[in-house]
Amino acid sequence: MRPGRLVTVASPTSTSLRDLAILPMVSLLPRTILLSLAFVLVEFHRAVVAAEPIASTKPAAAEMPGDEFFERKVRPLFVQHCYSCHAKGQKKGGLSLTDRTGMLAGGESGAVVALEKPDESLLIAAVEHRGGMQMPPNGKLSDGEVAALRKWIELGAPWPESAAKNSGGIRASGSITTEDRQFWSFQPVKDVAAPAVKNAAWSRRPLDQFVMAQLEANGLSPVGEADKRTFIRRASFDLIGLPPTPADVAAFVADESPLAHERLINRLLESPHYGERWARHWLDVARYGEDQAHTFQARMYPSGYRYRDWVVAAFNSDMPYNQFVIEQIAGDLLPEANGRLERLPALGYLALGPIYYKDAGCMGKAESDEVDDRIDTLCRGFLGLTVSCARCHDHKFDPIPTQDYYALAGVFASTQYREAPLAPDDVVQQYDARAEVVKGQEKRLTEAQATEARKLGESFVPLIPKYVVAAWRLQQRGEQNANELTKSLADELGLQRFLIERWSQFLTSDLVQKRAYLAAYKSLMSGPTAGEPSKTDSLPDAPADADAVVSMESKAERFGVALQQQLLAAIKANDELEAAHKKRLSEDAVAAKLKLVKPKLDSPLAELIKDLITNQNAPLAIPKDRADKLLTEASKTALAEFQKELDNAKKELGSKYPIAHSLADSQPTNVKVHLRGNHKELGDEVPRRFLAILSPAEPQPFREGSGRLELARAIADPTNPLTARVMVNRVWQHHFGRGLVGTPSNFGLLGERPTHPELLDHLAAKFIASGWSLKQLHREIMLSATYRLSSNVDGRGLMVDGQKQHGETATSSSPSTINLQPSTTIDPDNRLLWRQNRRRLDIEAWRDSMLAVSGNLDATLGGAAVNLNDGGNRRRTLYAAISRHELNGTLRLFDFPDPNLTSERRVSTTVPMQQLFVLNSDFLVRQAKSLSQRLANEAASDDKGRIERAYSLLFQRPPTEAEVRIGLSYLQAPLPDNVSASEVKLTAWEQYTQALLGTNEFVFVD
């Protein structure tokens, strides 16, 4: 490695690249050799303000928030196992589990929870029945329940009552109240008029006035507008997940028209890559996966990609969002005939869910868990409600009674998984008919092969005595080599070597101890050794001559003769039975029509034929590879004809029609309430219906089949107060890094309140009025002055007496000012949107961008999933196979969500393994080499020209003089004296391009 080779990685905070500790690059081939350390101060990207936390260095948070984890996993355990003794006035042992205060206070034995050392908690010891305490006393909890308690303690034993009391208290059980309906998210959406503001000239869209009103109310003003290079990079990543090309940037910068930004947004929205980018956002919500993690008999989803492709197409075509909702819940039930087949993959939203292991003890629970997954994914995804918290009891905070949960459970209990053909009925019927022909031909061939193999086996019956003798000799061989003896016996007796081995295995198997017809051979093997005469042993059916001296070998031969005679008798009886059966079928039309089954052979005879001929390991069962050589020419010809007919049938069959993993209605079924979530303890039956809180009056039972279509229409109803708000918030989140509601899948009491409630309603109302157009929603947001703000805090300011102040604290010496803190102090999290948020690319956009700038990106849309680890994989990361059982390591390393659960947003971590990936990944090396070659092909022959081209491709800007100077110094530096050229596996340019691909500027978007 040359001195000065470097790579940077995404750091949590930084003031500029000068302040970054640049990590040394490890020699890539071989990886284990560290050639040198390089700590070079460079200016590969712009300043990152230290006050802005970009990415946490802490591990990713649990997928489920602590309060919710308690409600779903822990409280049900307390209710079922603990509350009879430790709540509702009962404090056995001095312990109360009514609330967190009582739990932390402990009982007579001391504190039951050790927050600092969860494994030392008395509670865990008690439920594991160790240390002399056994709780609950009637039996141990399951391993999964104990694990849930342990995890809860590790999370700090959250108990959300305290938070709830500050917001009005825990809900009382019962019907929906007027107060319940007053909660902000259950109020109807209203198109609020934009407020009047002092700085009206700043606004470009009505939404800007809502933002400005909040800023002015808090004495803040927005920073300046982002430059055009920053804007096109931001917009490109937001809408298509790829960096703009140098040509795109040049054209946009040169376009001085007032419509330049609008034309750019429209062009990006029309790109097919738009659907790819936004499909991935939705697939997180849909917990998209292509296999299972919770079962030993996994249902695989080889056609799961059709759902992913349906989502891409839906976004690209700007399918109205209400239709998008309906088709994913009940697209198979829509009455419209047009597009019926195209709608079926949409059901993958529910059909591709996790399947849980079913054994004798889990049959009811597994199905309940699968229904729970569908309810959770449906309600969080479309409604932003944690309805699954009502599985065991009335929701403690939101107006969702347990009856509501089981009303929805009935819908999914009346729905079954289906692999639906994606072809017209006549095509399916024709293929299925041809498939039946193939099946019939396969059966005929299999039966013919079995018949010929049986006949071939029967042809060796006359030689049974010789084979028995050969097997007996083989067993008495002593130290003689078995292979040599087998060959010698085969030559001497004119036998097949493989049959000698099969007879030897048969006559030493467990059957010798079990079968009566083998008793004589058993006696023979337990008698005197070979060659020693006996005057007492005799064999059945053998001449009884007590005075004769018979050698052991003669006895074996006589046993073989007897066995041969018995088998011949059995074969004869079976042939006569088959002949009589065929005669009856030919003479009796009724019997032939009913396909009357042949009468069974007597059990001892049938057992003999099975043991000796038809069983797979029978001594006269001829393996196929042997039969092909031993069959007569006539038999071979007959079988060849059957094979030919089968081959022709398969050719006519052709390719099977495609299928979608979909749903279909089954018998409509109402579900009874599972008391405390226990599927074995049932309460009242609940009719299938919608949630009471979202119904204007008493919710009416569903009457059409399962009720899925009625449910879908209720969710997509424009009067539903949640559906539009939730989706608008998700779109806002992906444009600003945070939603107007900070908990995108929880609009309930435990969720965050909107920072701009009127703005959320304004956008939701416009969204519905636009025909639920997502592309129009993008335009509304992205053409606003708020979206166009710079992420740079250097231009931050305050509004003091109507005048903008640039970040300084006003002094008392000026009578027209008041003492205010800079905006980074007043609103450090930027919830009031006084600037744009800097965001780190997710793994998909980062990987795709590396492929794009290196010239390797395969832009093909759609198709089956591909292995992300395949070195030749140049497809977008969207098309990577997503495994629930074993998620790809690269995706997992870079914060890809767990596909077993619906995910509302990505976490962002910075860990050493990510840095090592940049240093050592084969993928990074391949892209660095390709990028280096692209620069050599496209740029001037001098290093300076290539550096400028690299910056244009990667960062959409020209390099500074300092960056050019440092790059040239790096590229032209000689190798150290103690490093030979053969030790450096990458050229200077390849190492330089790898460093550029790992810089913060490439990974972050302003």
Side-chain angles (χ1 to χ4, degrees), residues 387-526:
V387 173
S388 281
C389 290
R391 179 180 180 178
C392 304
H393 48 72
D394 289 348
H395 201 296
K396 294 297 179 182
F397 307 103
D398 297 337
I400 304 170
T402 303
Q403 286 79 2
D404 275 15
Y405 176 91
Y406 288 97
L408 297 183
V411 173
F412 295 114
S414 306
T415 300
Q416 63 184 6
Y417 170 81
R418 178 193 179 207
E419 294 188 352
L422 297 179
D425 292 343
D426 58 333
V427 173
V428 174
Q429 292 167 3
Q430 291 169 14
Y431 177 87
D432 289 348
R434 294 194 300 271
E436 282 299 315
V437 172
V438 171
K439 187 177 179 181
Q441 294 290 359
E442 288 175 338
K443 183 179 179 181
R444 287 181 62 195
L445 176 60
T446 301
E447 291 175 347
Q449 289 172 335
T451 299
E452 293 298 334
R454 191 187 69 187
K455 289 180 180 178
L456 185 58
E458 291 175 358
S459 70
F460 288 97
V461 171
L463 297 175
I464 286 179
K466 288 187 176 183
Y467 277 108
V468 172
V469 169
W472 180 82
R473 286 189 189 179
L474 190 60
Q475 294 166 34
Q476 305 300 317
R477 72 182 188 278
E479 296 182 0
Q480 187 173 357
N481 183 278
N483 289 333
E484 291 180 359
L485 181 57
T486 302
K487 184 179 184 303
S488 174
L489 289 170
D491 294 341
E492 176 188 344
L493 301 175
L495 305 177
Q496 296 288 331
R497 288 181 60 182
F498 79 94
L499 284 181
I500 294 175
E501 294 169 349
R502 293 179 76 89
W503 273 99
S504 177
Q505 293 169 1
F506 173 72
L507 292 173
T508 56
S509 68
D510 293 342
L511 287 179
V512 175
Q513 308 296 324
K514 299 176 181 178
R515 298 290 191 249
Y517 66 84
L518 294 176
Y521 192 80
K522 175 184 177 183
S523 176
L524 175 69
M525 294 306 296
S526 62

Side-chain angles (χ1 to χ4, degrees), residues 653-669:
L653 177 64
S655 300
K656 186 178 181 179
Y657 47 82
I659 63 100
H661 304 287
S662 190
L663 299 177
D665 272 9
S666 56
Q667 180 65 34
T669 304

Side-chain angles (χ1 to χ4, degrees), residues 108 122 160 269 329 387 397 469 521 651 707 719 877:
E108 295 172 359
L122 189 60
L269 287 172
I329 302 172
V387 173
F397 307 103
V469 169
Y521 192 80
K651 288 180 181 177
T719 64
T877 315

Side-chain angles (χ1 to χ4, degrees), residues 183-190 720-730 741 747 757 760-761 764 767-768 772:
F183 189 68
W184 77 268
S185 64
F186 302 132
Q187 290 289 299
V189 173
K190 298 178 181 178
N720 184 324
L722 287 170
T723 306
R725 282 183 176 130
V726 168
M727 191 56 184
V728 164
N729 189 64
R730 292 194 193 281
V741 177
F747 277 39
L760 180 60
D761 268 23
F767 182 43
I768 296 171
W772 301 82

Side-chain angles (χ1 to χ4, degrees), residues 9 28 843 846-847 850 889-890 893-894 912-925 994:
V9 293
L28 300 165
I843 178 58
W846 185 43
R847 179 181 176 276
M850 285 189 278
T890 300
L893 176 61
F894 288 96
M913 289 301 295
Q914 295 171 351
Q915 301 167 346
L916 292 175
F917 180 88
V918 174
L919 292 169
N920 299 322
S921 161
D922 288 333
F923 176 78
L924 260 294
V925 173
Q994 184 181 0

